[in-house]
Amino acid sequence: MTVAVTKEADLKSKFTGALIGTAVGDALGAPMEGWSFEKVRSVYGNCNYYNSYSNKKGWKMVCRYYTDDTEMMIGVAESLIRNNGFDGADMARTFVQNAKRKRWYGPGTMEVLERIRAGESWEDASGKLFDGEGSYGNGAAMRIAPAALFYYDNPDMLREVAYKSSHITHSHRLGTEGAVLQAFAIALAVLRREKEGMLADLRESLQDNAYIYSEKLKAVETLMAKGGGKEDVIAELGTGEAAFNSVPTAIYSFLCTDNFEDAVSYAVSLGGDTDTIGAMTGAISGAYYGAECIPDEWLSQLEEGKKGKSYIIWLADELYYRYYFLRLKFCETFC
Ligand SMILES: [Mg+2]
């Protein structure tokens, strides 16, 4: 993977951008989760936020309440901060303590969390789902932003923590590989100042046996080259809950646009698993453009409360300082 220099002053904004970007993308997509592309278009037009009054019904998108994507992302951040790094048992416990049904968890994740709550080991609980195959849903990729930030400059640890944190709830190889791909997309967005070459680096990050993901990244490249329409993107990349039908779609939404607002608007305009594809696009885009590039009109609507907007920004700050001081300590010892 190519490593570029990132100024420290920008880095903090990228940490905040990725965490709050997850919440904004999630909250924006949540009201239309499960809608078809045609239904989204008939209600919100092209989801161009500031022009959305011009669509037929005149509805404007709202960006208010986050769902399970952000609640689990908060759990990842809390656990990393508490332990100065990854601790699987603590992260699993944090997911269990945080989970609220009103955040629209999927039944598979709820079953795993119930098993852990009942005393099963975090290393074993998820592997029992789906006749012992484990889940390949996007539930691990959607929450990965804090881990991607904490290990953005350490590819080996990034991969290991993405796998292990995914394994808590999504242990199918295609679920864990989806989380790894999303983690590398966020890490590259932190490192890079230009998008050129990112797809090649993402392809390098895949394991040799991740055939479906390398095919999807090839499709992303083809769609970028020919400027494919939304119907083509939906048909070739997908908008479903499987990690391989949504992580590449989020990467494409980021790559084919030029700013945070357009990226997340594009992602949710495709329909399907809009909250999660919005959350993942928001994480990558926030890591690339920084927190200042998230529209005030969206941020101002985002929910507050015990674990709302201000808390998420605080988590991003804490995560940044932990990362920064651990790196300083490492350099004092080994550099
Ligand atoms: Mg959700």
Side-chain angles (χ1 to χ4, degrees), residues 26 33 67-69 103-104 142 273 275-276:
D26 179 12
E33 181 180 4
T67 71
D68 55 336
D69 307 54
R103 299 295 184 183
W104 299 94
M142 73 189 190
D273 197 7
D275 59 327
T276 297

Side-chain angles (χ1 to χ4, degrees), residues 2 7 52 112 128 137 148 171 187 196 203 206 227 247 276 295 330:
T2 309
K7 283 184 188 167
S52 58
V112 173
K128 293 178 180 162
S171 56
E196 209 181 326
R203 243 185 259 124
L206 294 173
V247 175
T276 297
F330 178 84

Side-chain angles (χ1 to χ4, degrees), residues 223-293:
L223 287 162
M224 294 284 295
K226 72 175 186 188
K230 288 181 180 176
E231 286 90 346
D232 294 334
V233 173
I234 294 163
E236 293 186 33
L237 301 182
T239 56
E241 292 174 357
F244 50 82
N245 283 333
S246 48
V247 175
T249 317
I251 292 167
Y252 180 81
S253 300
F254 162 68
L255 288 175
C256 78
T257 49
D258 293 323
N259 57 66
F260 183 93
E261 181 197 337
D262 287 350
V264 176
S265 299
Y266 185 92
V268 302
S269 78
L270 300 172
D273 197 7
T274 46
D275 59 327
T276 297
I277 300 175
M280 296 192 294
T281 306
I284 305 168
S285 305
Y288 187 77
Y289 299 111
E292 296 77 12
C293 296

Side-chain angles (χ1 to χ4, degrees), residues 46 50 83 115 140-141 183 190 204 224 233 270 314 316 329 332:
N46 280 326
Y50 294 103
N83 298 287
R115 285 173 183 271
V190 173
E204 267 183 45
M224 294 284 295
V233 173
L270 300 172
W314 178 82
K329 224 162 119 183
E332 277 170 13

Side-chain angles (χ1 to χ4, degrees), residues 79-319:
S79 182
L80 288 172
I81 290 166
R82 189 159 44 239
N83 298 287
N84 281 324
F86 179 72
D87 178 320
D90 181 79
M91 193 173 284
R93 224 171 13 249
T94 309
F95 289 157
V96 169
Q97 284 162 0
N98 284 355
K100 293 174 203 70
R101 288 194 182 272
K102 70 171 185 177
R103 299 295 184 183
W104 299 94
Y105 283 74
T109 298
M110 278 317 254
E111 185 183 329
V112 173
L113 297 184
E114 286 304 326
R115 285 173 183 271
I116 295 170
R117 191 194 301 274
E120 268 190 53
S121 155
W122 70 274
E123 288 167 303
D124 298 334
S126 65
K128 293 178 180 162
L129 286 190
F130 302 104
D131 297 325
E133 295 280 315
S135 171
Y136 53 70
N138 51 24
M142 73 189 190
R143 65 183 185 228
I144 201 69
L149 296 169
F150 202 70
Y151 298 107
Y152 81 92
D153 54 357
N154 186 340
D156 292 338
M157 280 299 290
L158 181 66
R159 180 181 303 281
E160 185 183 329
V161 172
Y163 273 126
K164 286 183 175 171
S165 67
S166 175
H167 189 84
I168 299 171
T169 53
H170 293 72
S171 56
H172 192 287
R173 186 178 60 79
L174 292 175
T176 54
E177 198 62 35
V180 170
L181 181 60
Q182 172 69 6
F184 271 90
I186 295 167
L188 284 167
V190 173
L191 285 163
R192 292 301 196 95
R193 294 191 180 280
E194 78 296 316
K195 295 180 182 176
E196 209 181 326
M198 279 181 73
L199 264 181
D201 283 349
L202 279 175
R203 243 185 259 124
E204 267 183 45
S205 75
L206 294 173
Q207 299 285 36
D208 291 341
N209 59 359
Y211 181 72
I212 192 164
Y213 287 101
S214 75
E215 287 301 300
K216 290 273 183 168
L217 290 184
K218 268 186 218 159
V220 168
E221 191 167 22
T222 307
L223 287 162
M224 294 284 295
K226 72 175 186 188
K230 288 181 180 176
E231 286 90 346
D232 294 334
V233 173
I234 294 163
E236 293 186 33
L237 301 182
T239 56
E241 292 174 357
F244 50 82
N245 283 333
S246 48
V247 175
T249 317
I251 292 167
Y252 180 81
S253 300
F254 162 68
L255 288 175
C256 78
T257 49
D258 293 323
N259 57 66
F260 183 93
E261 181 197 337
D262 287 350
V264 176
S265 299
Y266 185 92
V268 302
S269 78
L270 300 172
D273 197 7
T274 46
D275 59 327
T276 297
I277 300 175
M280 296 192 294
T281 306
I284 305 168
S285 305
Y288 187 77
Y289 299 111
E292 296 77 12
C293 296
I294 299 175
D296 285 341
E297 200 164 345
W298 287 349
L299 269 181
S300 62
Q301 291 177 49
L302 189 61
E303 66 175 287
E304 271 294 6
K306 199 177 168 196
K307 293 197 177 179
K309 174 174 46 188
S310 300
Y311 182 68
I312 295 168
I313 292 170
W314 178 82
L315 284 174
D317 289 350
E318 281 295 309
L319 196 67

